[in-house]
Amino acid sequence: MDKPVTTYDVCKYINCNNGKLTGHRLFRFPMEANRQKIWIDNAGK
């Protein structure tokens, strides 16, 4: 029996279809403010 898909199993970025089911490794958004800024800057949005 397969595990149910959770919100952490799919990408939340605009128009992104990646996820664990397609073989991609996903990461959670960081809690530290300095790392959040780096992620936001690199996302280009």
Side-chain angles (χ1 to χ4, degrees), residues 2-38:
D2 292 329
K3 289 177 27 177
V5 176
T6 68
T7 188
Y8 299 110
D9 294 335
V10 293
C11 180
K12 300 296 185 231
Y13 195 76
I14 299 168
N15 296 325
C16 180
N17 295 319
N18 294 333
K20 288 184 179 181
L21 298 176
T22 57
H24 294 89
R25 188 172 175 196
L26 302 176
F27 299 89
R28 291 188 181 181
F29 199 78
M31 297 296 292
E32 300 87 16
N34 61 332
R35 285 184 173 227
Q36 287 179 359
K37 181 173 178 358
I38 293 170

